[in-house]
Amino acid sequence: MIQTYIKKLVSYGVQTGLVPQEDVIFTTNRLLELFGLDELEDSDTDVTMREDELEEVLSGMLDYAFEKGLMTENSIVYRDLFDTKIMSMLMPRPSEVIRRFTELYENVSPQAATDYYYKLSRDSDYIRRYRICKDQKWVTSTKYGDLDITINLSKPEKDPKAIAAAKNARQSGYPKCLLCKENEGYAGRINHPARQNHRIIPVTINNSQWGFQYSPYVYYNEHCIVFNSQHVPMKIDHAAFCKLFDFVKQFPHYFVGSNADLPIVGGSILSHDHFQGGRYEFAMAKAPVERSFTVAGYEDVKAGIVNWPMSVIRLQAADTDRIIALADVILEKWRSYTDETAFIFAETEGEPHNTITPIARKRGELYELDLVLRNNITTEEHPLGVYHPHAKLHHIKKENIGLIEVMGLAVLPARLKEEMALLKEAILTGADLRADQVLAKHADWVEEFKPKYEQIDASNIDQIIQEEIGLVFMEVLEDAGVYKRTPEGQEAFDRFVTSLS
């Protein structure tokens, strides 16, 4: 079958545009070499391949590679390393990708350029479509709008052998992290993913060199990452605001935002300056301004508090320089702002707590900047963070609330898939949740929501569980809001706004 698989994969390369017709023989020979074969068998039948066959074809190739001793172990980590190597045989050089992207950007449109690049990232299996489609996704309607809920299943679980091997493997500082430009074309290792099928588009942002790529896990449409070409820490400052708008001006069909720059309220990679963007409108972007205000000296910038569970100030104007100037005022004020009655402390024992998660977009002829106020203070009662999912919600979501979740998309752990299946069965059979080691943590939650429903049976339980998970995520966002959605909380928010003038 390996002969058929090679022919099929080359056909796939031609169909998707990865392999020009002139490169068919060259690509075929590279694949023969990879699998230790001397020749391609003649066949009278034309071999074609559908896009949805890619997983099957690669799987067959990997089985063959293991049988022939080309792979050390037949586990997910080693298979991912080798199938990326297979796909690299179909890939154009970085210079060719950059040249095509630039041609489309300059001669057609920025959107045409990103359409090409996104398709390339999917066709090359850098974005593994057959895994992404396994993610569980739904929408939950709340008083703040429709929240997007996902249970992330596209990141494969490492097997015990691979975990042990990674622990014993030599620790390398190359590439320094998963965002560094040195990942492009990198073969990977047991403790670092392969990236031979990865291509990066260089972009200049605020007179500095950055890279543009897509996330391999695409949590939403065209989920992109924009990263500094230098491995430098994240920082929210005047330059960050300038960079966000510079990117939006170059790619006006995309929003772009940054995680905050402090632990707990920041993202998972604070060591490398980067933004995330894409072609998607989140619930937070759709949320209306509920109270407008004016800051003295910035009357030309529309400002307001957004109807959202987290504490968001929205700035809007045609002139981005004016938005940035007011954002600087708000950031500087917030960094040093303390309001003990609202339990907001700028710092304790020299440790800073206040920062901002900013998101920029273009809306019609105007530009917008959402500034989400963040605070990472901890207490004995809330050791993971006062403005972080509280303990009663950890059975669903315990991890940090980063940029994506701030905007209204829950990225929930893969464990929930199995736990919700078990929970469904337990509820339908009337089993004792507290007696089950896995389900006990969900018992209080289930007892809380069951009385809301006249009847729970096989016809509605899936919808009920999804609905209640979505409502938990809404509470997660409320916990992460520094100003609570209470009269006292909103009064304290207004005090901060008043202090800006």
Side-chain angles (χ1 to χ4, degrees):
M1 285 296 290
I2 189 62
Q3 294 276 342
T4 302
Y5 289 143
I6 288 175
K7 291 173 185 176
K8 280 198 164 194
L9 192 62
V10 173
S11 170
Y12 168 85
V14 173
Q15 292 170 52
T16 57
L18 289 173
V19 178
Q21 195 63 47
E22 301 91 330
D23 292 347
V24 166
I25 294 174
F26 173 78
T27 304
T28 302
N29 286 336
R30 293 193 72 200
L31 286 166
L32 289 173
E33 178 187 0
L34 177 62
F35 288 99
L37 301 170
D38 294 328
E39 59 184 350
L40 186 70
E41 295 174 358
D42 289 331
S43 174
D44 294 332
T45 57
D46 288 332
V47 175
T48 58
M49 176 178 154
R50 300 188 313 273
E51 180 186 290
D52 61 7
E53 288 184 273
L54 182 59
E55 181 180 19
E56 177 189 335
V57 168
L58 287 176
S59 181
M61 290 177 136
L62 293 169
D63 291 342
Y64 177 87
F66 179 66
E67 289 169 14
K68 297 300 180 182
L70 301 176
M71 286 191 332
T72 308
E73 297 278 353
N74 195 24
S75 64
I76 188 69
V77 172
Y78 289 93
R79 288 173 75 90
D80 278 4
L81 289 170
F82 201 85
D83 72 2
T84 305
K85 190 173 185 178
I86 294 172
M87 291 305 298
S88 74
M89 302 295 162
L90 280 63
M91 293 298 293
R93 287 180 175 272
S95 58
E96 296 173 59
V97 175
I98 294 167
R99 183 161 52 248
R100 181 61 179 151
F101 183 93
T102 304
E103 286 172 356
L104 288 168
Y105 186 96
E106 293 178 349
N107 299 323
V108 185
S109 69
Q111 185 175 321
T114 56
D115 285 349
Y116 154 74
Y117 182 43
Y118 190 55
K119 182 178 185 300
L120 175 84
S121 300
R122 287 157 56 90
D123 291 340
S124 66
D125 207 37
Y126 169 71
I127 295 172
R128 298 174 187 265
R129 284 176 286 203
Y130 46 83
R131 285 188 187 162
I132 303 297
C133 69
K134 294 174 184 176
D135 288 348
Q136 293 187 356
K137 299 181 179 183
W138 67 91
V139 173
T140 298
S141 296
T142 74
K143 58 188 175 182
Y144 304 109
D146 292 341
L147 300 182
D148 294 307
I149 313 297
T150 67
I151 296 179
N152 175 37
L153 303 171
S154 53
K155 283 187 180 180
E157 297 288 335
K158 291 185 179 180
D159 59 278
K161 279 188 177 181
I163 293 171
K167 185 178 180 181
N168 297 324
R170 182 180 70 85
Q171 296 301 307
S172 170
Y174 183 90
K176 290 178 181 174
C177 79
L178 291 171
L179 293 179
C180 285
K181 61 184 179 182
E182 288 79 13
N183 281 282
E184 187 176 43
Y186 187 61
R189 52 184 189 270
I190 193 68
N191 54 5
H192 193 101
R195 289 289 184 258
Q196 292 111 313
N197 58 349
H198 177 38
R199 298 294 180 262
I200 297 168
I201 303 297
V203 289
T204 301
I205 301 179
N206 198 32
N207 300 315
S208 57
Q209 291 305 306
W210 284 57
F212 169 57
Q213 66 183 51
Y214 289 104
S215 165
Y217 304 111
V218 286
Y219 292 131
Y220 51 87
N221 187 48
E222 296 181 42
H223 176 187
C224 68
I225 300 171
V226 192
F227 61 95
N228 199 313
S229 63
Q230 303 299 313
H231 184 76
V232 294
M234 290 184 62
K235 188 176 182 182
I236 302 300
D237 56 8
H238 170 79
F241 298 144
C242 293
K243 291 168 188 170
L244 291 175
F245 277 121
D246 198 357
F247 181 82
V248 169
K249 286 177 181 178
Q250 293 181 57
F251 301 94
H253 57 300
Y254 278 2
F255 81 89
V256 68
S258 175
N259 271 303
D261 53 359
L262 292 178
I264 296 177
V265 296
S268 57
I269 303 179
L270 295 179
S271 60
H272 195 131
D273 194 13
H274 72 284
F275 307 137
Q276 293 181 80
R279 198 171 165 193
Y280 189 71
E281 188 173 32
F282 288 88
M284 192 183 81
K286 298 175 187 175
V289 167
E290 61 181 359
R291 298 196 302 283
S292 297
F293 63 89
T294 303
V295 178
Y298 300 91
E299 290 80 5
D300 56 326
V301 180
K302 287 184 179 179
I305 293 172
V306 179
N307 180 25
W308 192 244
M310 298 186 70
S311 306
V312 185
I313 293 174
R314 179 168 295 159
L315 307 180
Q316 189 181 67
D319 185 348
T320 57
D321 287 344
R322 294 296 292 158
I323 295 177
I324 291 167
L326 180 50
D328 288 342
V329 171
I330 295 170
L331 176 63
E332 183 180 3
K333 185 70 177 182
W334 180 244
R335 290 276 194 201
S336 60
Y337 189 77
T338 292
D339 183 347
E340 294 186 14
T341 61
F343 202 78
I344 292 171
F345 296 88
E347 58 88 23
T348 55
E349 298 179 359
E351 180 188 351
H353 296 307
N354 287 348
T355 185
I356 279 175
T357 298
I359 301 105
R361 66 183 75 88
K362 190 176 185 188
R363 195 183 294 278
E365 296 303 310
L366 300 177
Y367 290 94
E368 279 184 359
L369 184 65
D370 284 350
L371 302 173
V372 188
L373 307 181
R374 312 297 303 273
N375 180 290
N376 74 348
I377 195 169
T378 60
T379 61
E380 286 187 16
E381 183 185 1
H382 301 292
L384 298 181
V386 172
Y387 305 107
H388 179 85
H390 290 177
K392 68 168 288 194
L393 307 179
H394 288 179
H395 66 105
I396 298 294
K397 178 70 173 176
K398 185 178 181 179
E399 299 78 15
N400 292 358
I401 302 305
L403 172 68
I404 295 172
E405 275 120 349
V406 162
M407 295 185 292
L409 190 158
V411 182
L412 302 178
R415 64 173 171 83
L416 285 177
K417 179 186 178 184
E418 182 180 356
E419 288 179 16
M420 293 307 109
L422 294 172
L423 188 65
K424 170 183 173 179
E425 185 65 24
I427 293 173
L428 290 177
T429 59
D432 181 3
L433 298 182
R434 298 187 189 281
D436 187 299
Q437 190 174 359
V438 174
L439 299 181
K441 61 177 173 287
H442 297 298
D444 288 347
W445 172 55
V446 173
E447 289 173 5
E448 192 177 301
F449 75 66
K450 278 177 72 174
K452 291 166 55 177
Y453 302 93
E454 288 185 13
Q455 185 175 345
I456 299 178
D457 55 32
S459 69
N460 65 2
I461 190 164
D462 290 323
Q463 182 182 350
I464 287 171
I465 289 176
Q466 288 189 347
E467 171 83 3
E468 293 300 328
I469 289 175
L471 294 176
V472 167
F473 179 59
M474 181 189 75
E475 290 186 58
V476 161
L477 295 181
E478 288 177 334
D479 282 352
V482 293
Y483 292 114
K484 302 308 176 189
R485 302 291 303 178
T486 62
E488 297 80 12
Q490 294 305 292
E491 185 181 331
F493 200 167
D494 288 339
R495 281 200 300 274
F496 171 70
V497 165
T498 302
S499 74
L500 297 172
S501 294

